[in-house]
Amino acid sequence: MLNPFKKQKSESVYSPVAGRIVSLDEVPDPVFAQRSVGDGFAVEPSEGSFRSPVDGELVLVAKTLHAFAVRTPEGAEILVHVGIDTVTLKGEGFTGHRQAGETVARGDVIISCDLDTMRSKVPAMVTPVLLTNGAKFAMSAPDFYADGASVITVRRK
């Protein structure tokens, strides 16, 4: 049982890639736009290096290199899904830099790709960043003007 008098630590989630932060409502895929996988934000990337948005354990690197997930020290699970329908590329065009099970720091490059090449192969490169275990965590509203600062914060409920 959580001690109601103990202040729970909040954790900051940063953009995993340079670019314009957008609402999930703008993602051209209903699974993400309807928040079926989790709530969060998305980024329209301006470069192709996708980095860990938090410190933690890299718990997933998809075999197709289109997505990865990091679990923070407090237990929040953050999924970064690079582009829309990129799973259909079966890894083509992506380079993986880290493996599941590794400890990563915010800013470590996990996956990279050539954005111009990728944009010609998929509907969009907008990248959802989702809190996948939101039932256990409260999340702040996204700051769409974060510009290098924290986009959301999460805190265990």
Side-chain angles (χ1 to χ4, degrees), residues 75-92:
E77 295 176 359
I78 308 298
L79 173 71
V80 177
H81 191 282
V82 180
I84 303 303
D85 292 344
T86 48
V87 67
T88 63
L89 299 176
K90 299 178 181 170
E92 178 189 340

Side-chain angles (χ1 to χ4, degrees), residues 71-135:
R71 183 181 305 120
T72 70
E74 291 291 315
E77 295 176 359
I78 308 298
L79 173 71
V80 177
H81 191 282
V82 180
I84 303 303
D85 292 344
T86 48
V87 67
T88 63
L89 299 176
K90 299 178 181 170
E92 178 189 340
F94 288 111
T95 301
H97 300 278
R98 303 298 291 265
Q99 295 181 5
E102 292 184 42
T103 298
V104 295
R106 180 177 65 87
D108 287 351
V109 176
I110 310 299
I111 295 170
S112 61
C113 66
D114 180 284
L115 275 185
D116 292 333
T117 300
M118 299 304 265
R119 283 188 176 116
S120 68
K121 296 180 179 198
V122 296
M125 283 304 293
V126 65
T127 298
V129 181
L130 309 168
L131 172 64
T132 59
N133 59 344

Side-chain angles (χ1 to χ4, degrees), residues 28-65:
D29 183 318
V31 171
F32 299 115
Q34 295 171 3
R35 294 158 176 79
S36 299
V37 179
D39 203 355
F41 61 96
V43 184
E44 185 60 57
S46 60
E47 54 102 29
S49 292
F50 296 86
R51 304 169 184 277
S52 180
V54 294
D55 294 339
E57 179 187 356
L58 189 58
V59 294
L60 167 76
V61 177
K63 288 181 183 179
T64 54
L65 300 176

Side-chain angles (χ1 to χ4, degrees), residues 134-150:
K136 298 178 182 178
F137 288 84
M139 184 187 87
S140 68
D143 178 357
F144 297 113
Y145 304 100
D147 194 27
S150 171

